[in-house]
Amino acid sequence: MTLFDAVLLFLAGFVSGAVNAVAGGGTFVTFGAMTLVGVPPIVANATSSVTQFPGYVTSTLAYLDDIRHFWRQALLLCAISACGALAGSLILLALSNPSFRALVPWLLIAATALFAAGPWLKPAPRPGDETSVGSIAGALAQFVTSIYGGFFGAGMGVMMLATLGLTQAGDYHRLNALKNMLAVVIAAIAILVFVWGGVVAWPQAIVMIPGGALGGYAGVWIAKRVPQNAVRGFVIAVGLFLAIYYFTKG
């Protein structure tokens, strides 16, 4: 890793933390930066999971008061999420880099489209409803989402919030709290598998994590001054650029 690579990755971590704080989609930035400096796509994907994990934890802690009301009922969804993440991450490890590289542009197109549709996929607020986490449809949807999250995390949060809104009861904030809680489980299982598989680029991760922490703090300042739609547009542009890059590189 050259000095230029380290600076680029630190800045990517910073931008990732900032856009996650404002609109989400930071995985596009970290994954893209690592692939641009020559990190193999499977390693870049696995390392992105590591760099995004602290943000998942802090987001969950911010919703701790809401989670206290339903965490016992959510344990089943946590177990389902762990199983799905395990399956998805093991599927990733079973692929070769060329095989995964061939899938990447299609995954990026799908994730970018999902992210772009995010504002229309948010569940409608239903104040006063208690969060329900026991439906069979919700369990199946969560299992599929967690497989995707373990395999390729970009857009996972938007997908999960959409499926939870369709299959669970509760207002937007409680569903978002549940989403954050489940994201921690999915990311933790995937990271354990990736570490076990030896596909995490630790030097790159160590450079990006502090950048992400600073970016998350700066994101509060950005959120007050830059329209969220502008940040979302930036993330969508990054996703499309990466998809075109992988399509043209073959």
Side-chain angles (χ1 to χ4, degrees), residues 5 14 22 26 32 37 46 48 52 58 66 93 96 101 111 113 115 117-118 122 127-128 148 161 163 193 217 223 231:
D5 291 348
F14 181 88
V22 180
V37 300
S48 283
Q52 301 298 311
T58 54
D66 293 282
L93 289 187
S96 65
R101 188 183 179 90
F115 183 81
K122 286 183 179 179
Y148 172 83
L161 192 57
T163 56
V193 173
Y217 184 81
V231 179

Side-chain angles (χ1 to χ4, degrees), residues 196-212:
W196 169 76
V199 293
V200 177
W202 287 111
Q204 287 82 353
I206 290 169
V207 168
M208 284 189 291
I209 287 172

Side-chain angles (χ1 to χ4, degrees), residues 9 25 31 40 53 79 98 114 121 129 138 140 162-163 176-177 186 205 209 211 229:
L9 292 174
F31 178 80
F53 186 71
L114 191 66
L121 296 176
D129 286 354
L140 292 174
T163 56
N176 202 34
I186 293 170
I209 287 172
N229 286 339

Side-chain angles (χ1 to χ4, degrees), residues 15 47 92 204:
V15 174
T47 307
L92 179 68
Q204 287 82 353

Side-chain angles (χ1 to χ4, degrees), residues 122-246:
K122 286 183 179 179
R126 289 178 286 173
D129 286 354
E130 292 297 321
T131 303
S132 169
V133 293
S135 72
I136 295 176
L140 292 174
Q142 184 58 30
F143 182 66
V144 173
T145 303
S146 58
I147 291 175
Y148 172 83
F151 182 77
F152 189 70
M156 175 185 70
V158 177
M159 180 188 295
M160 196 168 2
L161 192 57
T163 56
L164 289 175
L166 291 171
T167 60
Q168 312 295 341
D171 64 24
Y172 172 75
H173 290 293
R174 290 200 174 187
L175 291 174
N176 202 34
L178 178 60
K179 180 262 292 181
N180 289 336
M181 179 182 179
L182 297 175
V184 168
V185 174
I186 293 170
I189 295 298
I191 289 170
L192 288 174
V193 173
F194 296 149
V195 170
W196 169 76
V199 293
V200 177
W202 287 111
Q204 287 82 353
I206 290 169
V207 168
M208 284 189 291
I209 287 172
L214 291 172
Y217 184 81
V220 177
W221 184 91
I222 294 171
K224 295 178 180 178
R225 291 163 176 81
V226 179
Q228 186 171 350
N229 286 339
V231 179
R232 292 186 64 83
F234 169 77
V235 174
I236 292 167
V238 170
L240 291 175
F241 168 78
L242 291 173
I244 294 170
Y245 172 81
Y246 270 103

